[in-house]
């Protein structure tokens, strides 16, 4: 049975009222960058965009609690703000998709044991639109548990479900105002990813650089415009600014821009990014190339490693370096995977490579939405042997993937060459 045939079942808090669904999303129906008739799941995508935008607003509001009036980080070692944002986003998304299974990271046990339900409730209170049923504490706990471990048993057959990463990059969330983090949501239908939405509140436009300390010292500075990225099977990958959602002023109405991966065809000219928890020396390609973060001094046997592509003060510091001749060497702030996917899909990096060690658990929500965004932008995602990433490998919970060797995300042009290099050097590193 096509569980998405009657879409009103999955987006309406009151599933018996399809008219409410039509009323809620009629105002955003024209907001997609492509005609509805080209997108089979346009209603699902419209709803997902709306909810991810609200989630980004929630994250921005909660993040404000990290800073004092002087810009100092409050309770630096306290995980409460990021916990409230994480759980709040998951509850928000669960509320809007009440019947279709959700695969996500959290359940309510931690909230209950640490008396954080009131904090999440407060964070969610102003995210409901007028006319919507207010959430109760029990609603929040139930919504969060929908995405938790063992909440749904899938089995061997291809399944339909949402995959959510409420905050990819919690360390980045806890850092300076301009550190990057991503809200990611993907829809899987009968085992295939059909759409994805990523919201990145602190994504930077090209502009004069400010240090993180300068930003933290002025609570009125808005960190970047932020972007939302969407992808739909067969319709491409698109972005628009999040300025209006985040309360910043915009001189002109925001419009969608089509995204394409970069056109680099030579490995030694490619821009690489890697997981913040891994080093270049731990990867097979280190046997062939050294890595540098200085765009102005890339040697013959070196590749350019983007040190600031995720969770850093400025994602555009590399492009700024090209424009000004000023090398940037900012450090990592600890985000995970989705920001790297976003960077490749937008053409700012050529390659993201992740090693999957035997003891490493690779979570589906760290990859699902990024996979479709890169694919629809013209790129390619496989494991290190060239095989497709199997979201159904975890037959019970659809929570874990098992890429052979690791994950390789590229612009497509250099993909086969990188696979050859990995194969020829894997035994060395």
């Amino acid at each position: 049975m096509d569980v998405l045939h009657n879409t009103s079942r999955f987006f309406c808090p009151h599933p018996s009222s399809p008219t409410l669904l039509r009323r809620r999303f009629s105002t955003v129906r024209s907001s997609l960058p492509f005609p509805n008739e080209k997108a089979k799941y346009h209603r699902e995508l419209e709803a997902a965009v709306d909810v991810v935008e609200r989630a980004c607003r929630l994250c921005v509001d909660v993040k404000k609690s990290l800073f004092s009036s002087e810009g100092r980080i409050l309770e630096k070692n306290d995980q409460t703000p990021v916990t409230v944002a994480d759980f709040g986003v998951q509850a928000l998304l669960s509320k809007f998709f009440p019947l279709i299974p959700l695969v996500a990271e959290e359940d309510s046990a931690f909230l209950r044991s640490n008396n954080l339900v009131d904090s999440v409730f407060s964070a969610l209170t102003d995210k409901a639109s007028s006319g919507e049923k207010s959430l109760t504490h029990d609603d929040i706990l139930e919504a969060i548990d929908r995405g938790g471990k063992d909440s749904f048993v899938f089995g061997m057959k291809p399944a339909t479900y949402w995959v959510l990463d409420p905050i990819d990059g919690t360390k980045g969330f806890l850092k300076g105002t301009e550190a990057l983090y991503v809200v990611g949501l993907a829809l899987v239908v009968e085992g295939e990813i059909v759409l994805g939405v990523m919201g990145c509140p602190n994504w930077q436009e090209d502009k004069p650089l400010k240090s993180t300390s300068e930003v933290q010292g002025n609570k009125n500075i808005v960190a970047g415009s932020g972007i939302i990225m969407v992808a739909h099977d067969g319709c491409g990958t698109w972005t628009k600014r999040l300025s209006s959602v985040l309360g910043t002023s915009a001189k002109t109405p925001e419009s969608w821009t089509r995204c394409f991966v970069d056109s680099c065809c030579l490995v030694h000219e490619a821009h690489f990014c890697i997981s913040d928890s891994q080093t270049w020396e731990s990867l097979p390609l280190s046997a062939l190339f050294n890595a540098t973060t200085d765009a102005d001094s890339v040697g013959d046997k070196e590749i350019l490693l983007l040190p600031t592509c995720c969770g850093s003060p400025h994602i555009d510091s590399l492009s700024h370096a090209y424009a000004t001749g000023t090398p940037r060497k900012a450090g990592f702030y600890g985000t995970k995977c989705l920001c790297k996917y976003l960077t490749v899909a937008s053409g700012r990096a050529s390659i993201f490579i992740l090693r999957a060690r035997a003891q490493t658990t690779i979570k589906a929500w760290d990859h699902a939405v990024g996979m479709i965004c890169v694919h629809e932008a013209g790129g390619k995602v496989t494991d290190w042997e060239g095989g497709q990433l199997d979201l159904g490998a975890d037959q019970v919970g659809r929570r874990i993937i098992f890429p052979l060797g690791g994950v390789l995300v590229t612009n497509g042009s250099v993909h086969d060459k990188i696979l050859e290099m990995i194969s020829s050097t894997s035994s060395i590193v």
Side-chain angles (χ1 to χ4, degrees), residues 175-325:
K175 290 288 184 178
T177 307
E178 295 193 3
L180 301 189
Y181 57 94
V182 172
V183 177
L185 180 66
L187 178 62
V188 179
V189 176
E190 296 303 306
E192 299 293 332
I193 307 171
V194 298
L195 65 84
V197 181
M198 285 194 279
C200 184
N202 290 338
W203 184 267
Q204 298 292 303
E205 301 291 341
D206 288 318
K207 63 182 182 179
L209 297 176
K210 288 185 174 68
S211 69
T212 304
S213 59
E214 288 178 288
V215 173
Q216 293 177 358
N218 187 341
K219 65 177 180 179
N220 296 317
I221 291 178
V222 177
S225 62
I227 65 167
I228 191 163
M229 175 177 281
V230 304
H232 185 288
D233 184 31
C235 296
T237 297
W238 302 75
T239 61
K240 71 174 181 178
R241 294 175 62 187
L242 270 172
S243 299
S244 58
V245 176
L246 302 183
T248 59
S249 60
K251 295 181 180 179
T252 58
E254 303 300 347
S255 58
W256 291 100
T257 301
R258 184 78 181 263
C259 289
F260 296 96
V261 294
D262 74 10
S263 58
C264 179
C265 296
L266 301 174
V267 173
H268 69 276
E269 294 181 357
H271 300 163
F272 284 74
C273 53
I274 63 175
S275 169
D276 299 354
S277 63
Q278 298 179 348
T279 64
W280 179 254
E281 289 72 25
S282 69
L283 302 175
L285 268 64
S286 64
L288 302 175
F289 303 99
N290 292 322
T292 180
T293 59
D294 189 344
D296 293 330
S297 61
V298 182
D300 292 338
K301 292 293 184 179
E302 288 184 323
I303 58 89
L304 184 61
L305 185 63
L306 306 189
T308 58
C309 65
C310 296
S312 69
H314 291 278
I315 192 169
D316 274 326
S317 61
L318 180 65
S319 59
H320 182 80
Y322 286 141
T324 64

Side-chain angles (χ1 to χ4, degrees), residues 321-332:
Y322 286 141
T324 64
T326 304
R328 301 288 299 171
K329 296 183 178 181
F332 291 117

Side-chain angles (χ1 to χ4, degrees), residues 5 32 72 100 154 179 184 190 207 269 314 341 344 371 409:
H5 181 69
L32 295 182
R72 292 180 290 105
I100 192 169
F154 287 91
E190 296 303 306
K207 63 182 182 179
E269 294 181 357
H314 291 278
Y341 278 98
V344 175
M371 291 164 61
V409 182

Side-chain angles (χ1 to χ4, degrees), residues 341-355:
Y341 278 98
L342 196 156
T343 306
V344 175
S346 63
R348 299 192 182 190
S350 314
I351 300 161
F352 165 44
I353 183 169
L354 172 73
R355 186 168 194 172

